[in-house]
Amino acid sequence: MYVVTGAGPVGSAVAEQLADQGHEVRVLTRSGSGPDHALIQRMRVDVSDPSRLTEAVRGAEAIFHCIHGSKYSASAWEAELPHAEQVVMDAAAAAGVVVVFPESLYSYSEPDRDMTEAGAREASGGKRGIRTQLLKAREAHAAKTVSVVAGDFFGPRVRMAHAGERMVPLVLKGKTVQVLGSAAQLHSFTYVPDLAAAMIAAARRPDLWNSVLHAPTNPALTQRGLATAYATAAGLPAPKVTAIPGWVVRGAGLVSKDMREVAEMLYQFERPFVMDSAESQRLLGLEPTPLPEAAAATVQWWKHTVAAV
């Protein structure tokens, strides 16, 4: 039996892949939500509650901790994430099981270089610094952990993302897509099912525990390139793609806290932002899903989602 905390795009993908492989899965969320599958048990559990979590993880082979902050802000992350991770790691250490975390590229100190597993992860300040602190806390804890780093998400269920609701529905409607920073700079995007597959594979490899891996990720492409891949998958002409200059976002950040949080990460979209996953692919024996296949699955999910609304 496996435990998954959170039922967002990553948690749901992990749970479904495990269930499709014939494993029993417990999905823990405050609301009791999660994928509908005969082998998935959805439980109402606040993972920051040590007693409830200890009970829920009893008998687990691994824990996949896939929750995120309630808001995209440094203050929310700082208030919520370290405590939740501490509770999960405490429960995992007591149960003698590994915890697998999805992780971002935020902590990398030299993002202007191709980011590899061996790269320095010492970024400080704001959301970047919080991700650095989380990685250090995992390293220092007695629990066995693995962090699997991904680029910006795309794929089924991925809504609140640069390559999600800000891009796919507009492509399908033939509308202009507006992206942040630049439409012409290379950027790494990770297909969420590939991240989930890597997390599952890492959980089964004790020799890779207590390390940081990279999810299998296709060669970086531009935001225009990804929007065009969606259009091709949908049988549509290439969309018009325009960019919102960084100075516009920074200016808006002077009066909007939400825009300040976005402006903090503009460096990812104004310059090349590239991760290399070759070493982790070798270690895990995995390859990224080819872009045309991944784009087609993403478009198909969005078509069904739009049709259901």
Side-chain angles (χ1 to χ4, degrees):
M1 185 271 293
Y2 292 91
V3 169
V4 178
T5 67
V10 179
S12 292
V14 170
E16 284 191 334
Q17 288 187 25
L18 286 167
D20 287 343
Q21 293 168 11
H23 302 287
E24 294 184 356
V25 185
R26 288 178 183 166
V27 175
L28 313 182
T29 65
R30 290 179 178 178
S31 64
S33 61
D36 186 11
H37 193 290
L39 291 177
I40 295 177
Q41 178 187 11
R42 295 173 292 193
M43 300 177 64
R44 292 179 181 268
V45 176
D46 182 344
V47 299
S48 64
D49 181 339
S51 60
R52 290 283 287 125
L53 184 63
T54 298
E55 177 185 349
V57 305
R58 187 172 292 115
E61 294 183 48
I63 302 170
F64 298 87
H65 185 56
C66 304
I67 69 169
H68 209 289
S70 60
K71 294 182 180 179
Y72 186 70
S73 74
S75 59
W77 288 13
E78 188 170 25
E80 299 165 6
L81 300 183
H83 173 67
E85 290 202 5
Q86 182 73 33
V87 172
V88 169
M89 289 189 292
D90 288 348
V97 299
V98 66
V99 188
V100 186
F101 298 89
E103 188 50 66
S104 71
L105 291 163
Y106 287 21
S107 68
Y108 280 82
S109 315
E110 300 178 314
D112 287 336
R113 299 184 180 184
D114 285 6
M115 291 168 280
T116 70
E117 297 87 342
R121 291 179 284 269
E122 298 288 345
S124 60
K127 294 185 290 295
R128 297 182 69 196
I130 291 168
R131 300 314 307 185
T132 299
Q133 293 165 20
L134 291 173
L135 284 164
K136 290 184 180 299
R138 295 169 198 167
E139 184 179 4
H141 200 281
K144 304 174 183 69
T145 70
V146 186
S147 299
V148 184
V149 174
D152 273 295
F153 292 165
F154 77 104
R157 294 194 181 90
V158 178
R159 292 177 177 269
M160 296 179 66
H162 297 283
E165 63 188 7
R166 302 174 191 173
M167 187 177 288
V168 190
L170 297 173
V171 169
L172 295 179
K173 294 175 182 178
K175 295 185 176 181
T176 297
V177 176
Q178 283 193 315
V179 300
L180 290 179
S182 170
Q185 294 286 1
L186 290 177
H187 191 91
S188 288
F189 292 92
T190 300
Y191 185 52
V192 164
D194 291 339
L195 169 59
M199 292 173 64
I200 292 169
R204 296 169 177 164
R205 289 284 302 275
D207 58 315
L208 298 178
W209 293 353
N210 300 318
S211 70
V212 176
L213 302 171
H214 282 189
T217 298
N218 281 303
L221 72 167
T222 65
Q223 294 185 87
R224 176 177 285 110
L226 184 54
T228 300
Y230 286 147
T232 300
L236 299 170
K240 181 180 179 181
V241 180
T242 62
I244 304 172
W247 65 266
V248 173
V249 179
R250 293 185 180 93
L254 296 175
V255 295
S256 166
K257 183 177 180 180
D258 289 343
M259 292 307 294
R260 283 198 297 276
E261 298 289 349
V262 173
E264 178 192 353
M265 313 312 298
L266 275 173
Y267 71 96
Q268 298 183 357
F269 298 97
E270 294 180 315
R271 301 187 295 276
F273 191 70
V274 179
M275 69 176 283
D276 183 323
S277 58
E279 177 61 12
S280 291
Q281 290 172 208
R282 182 188 69 79
L283 291 170
L284 295 171
L286 297 173
E287 295 289 335
T289 302
L291 179 60
E293 181 182 335
T298 304
V299 165
Q300 191 65 20
W301 183 85
W302 274 97
K303 286 183 174 179
H304 284 307
T305 299
V306 171
V309 174

